[in-house]
Amino acid sequence: METIFFYKNMNKEDEQILSDYVTPKINKIEKILSHFPQDAVLLHIKGERFEKHSAYEVELVLKLPIGTFTAKEASHMITKAVDLAKDRLDIQLKKALSQLREHRSIKARSKSHVRVASLAL
């Protein structure tokens, strides 16, 4: 998986905290996506700091061959924003992959019924 970081209004210390904190979280996402080719998965991590509200916004955009998934969260702590965004992304991925598996199993069952029907004729 290729990972690209984008920072807006963040100092070097905040950028380092974000990249250090996200790295282990990405490994868990990679395990879920192990059946996709490495070069077919792209993750954009966008971090933004809002001076006026003393808050951070983290957006995770995951591009896969089956679609694009986006999770965005804001919080006063950068680590909390990362955790919430990652959880949202996990939910979306698990739902999409289960639907994909279900769709494939339905197709496989319908093909097997066609074969059985053609053998009966």
Side-chain angles (χ1 to χ4, degrees):
M1 170 174 21
E2 184 179 351
T3 306
I4 301 171
F5 285 88
F6 297 98
Y7 305 107
K8 186 175 180 182
N9 300 329
M10 295 178 80
N11 57 30
K12 293 291 181 190
E13 183 180 318
D14 289 338
E15 291 175 8
Q16 189 64 37
I17 291 170
L18 178 63
S19 63
D20 289 346
Y21 192 74
V22 167
T23 303
K25 306 288 182 181
I26 292 172
N27 295 334
K28 293 179 182 179
I29 293 173
E30 283 181 332
K31 288 179 185 176
I32 295 172
L33 303 174
S34 61
H35 63 277
F36 288 107
Q38 287 290 333
D39 60 344
V41 180
L42 178 63
L43 178 64
H44 290 273
I45 301 169
K46 301 173 185 177
E48 183 175 359
R49 182 169 187 232
F50 300 109
E51 285 286 332
K52 185 176 180 180
H53 301 289
S54 180
Y56 297 93
E57 182 178 79
V58 175
E59 181 178 16
L60 305 175
V61 179
L62 183 66
K63 295 182 181 181
L64 298 173
I66 61 170
T68 301
F69 302 93
T70 304
K72 184 190 293 189
E73 284 294 333
S75 177
H76 291 285
M77 295 186 320
I78 197 165
T79 55
K80 187 174 180 181
V82 169
D83 287 339
L84 293 171
K86 185 208 151 286
D87 290 344
R88 281 184 182 257
L89 192 63
D90 280 345
I91 291 168
Q92 291 177 30
L93 283 174
K94 288 176 183 176
K95 183 177 178 182
L97 293 176
S98 71
Q99 287 176 346
L100 186 63
R101 279 189 221 105
E102 184 179 306
H103 178 70
R104 285 183 181 168
S105 68
I106 289 172
K107 281 179 96 174
R109 277 189 261 138
S110 67
K111 285 183 181 179
S112 66
H113 290 301
V114 170
R115 280 191 226 130
V116 171
S118 64
L119 292 175
L121 295 176

